[in-house]
Amino acid sequence: VNAVWVLSLVFSIMSGLFATLNQQWARRYLQLPHIPRSASEQARVRSFLFFGANKYGIISTMELTPMLLHFSILLFFAGLIIFFFIVYKTIAIVLSISVGAFAVVYLVWTILPCIDYRCPYRTPMSSVLWYTWQTCLSSVTLFLRWVLRLLHCCRVPYNFGDVTSLRQR
């Protein structure tokens, strides 16, 4: 239980540190383009910073902050439930039901953007799940395409001339 709570504390503190770093990076991103005087130089600096931010994946880094915080909360609740199962089972059961109900809602909020991309409910894990879902769908599609080509090659012979039989049509 103590290990889970310490991990929760570590992830929470890391999330706070990342939030501070994200704020500093965003402030720098907004302030640097205003240093040059002319509008064309400001546009060049903004474009330079934008391409640098895209190259180093700043969006993914910024999404890491709430993900750490959510994982920290998950670990804290897990430790709390384990602790109360040792101390007092009735409270542990009530706590498990309430945390479980919220976990179901959180899971639905995570899955909904994968089903409908316009869904406004998102969690930090939604984008990870969406990319995983798209990768799985793409793999299944490629496998089915391979199977269909294999079946097609077995079923339909190569035709180097005119269509002569009903089977070739």
Side-chain angles (χ1 to χ4, degrees), residues 14-143:
M14 284 173 40
S15 176
L17 176 65
F18 279 142
T20 305
L21 287 172
N22 289 342
Q23 192 175 27
Q24 287 176 345
W25 297 333
R27 190 177 308 118
R28 181 175 181 268
Y29 183 81
L30 292 175
Q31 288 174 349
L32 278 181
H34 295 293
I35 294 173
R37 296 277 185 228
S38 69
S40 65
E41 288 177 357
Q42 287 180 356
R44 285 189 192 116
V45 170
R46 186 174 297 276
S47 176
F48 177 76
L49 292 174
F50 175 76
F51 286 125
N54 280 343
K55 178 181 177 185
Y56 289 101
I58 199 160
I59 299 297
S60 301
T61 305
M62 288 189 170
E63 286 180 355
L64 182 67
T65 303
M67 194 179 304
L68 281 173
L69 187 60
H70 290 212
F71 191 62
S72 168
I73 291 170
L74 172 84
L75 287 175
F76 178 78
F77 282 141
L80 198 63
I81 290 171
I82 292 169
F83 176 75
F84 274 110
F85 263 113
I86 296 169
V87 175
Y88 195 56
K89 289 191 191 259
T90 308
I91 294 175
I93 292 170
V94 170
L95 189 62
S96 296
I97 291 170
S98 61
V99 169
F102 181 74
V104 167
V105 170
Y106 188 86
L107 187 65
V108 168
W109 286 343
T110 302
I111 293 173
L112 273 177
C114 295
I115 297 169
D116 183 10
Y117 201 69
R118 297 172 298 173
C119 178
Y121 305 114
R122 293 186 187 280
T123 65
M125 292 302 295
S126 293
S127 58
V128 173
L129 187 64
W130 187 83
Y131 285 117
T132 306
W133 176 250
Q134 294 301 319
T135 303
C136 289
L137 282 179
S138 178
S139 300
V140 167
T141 304
L142 287 175
F143 176 74

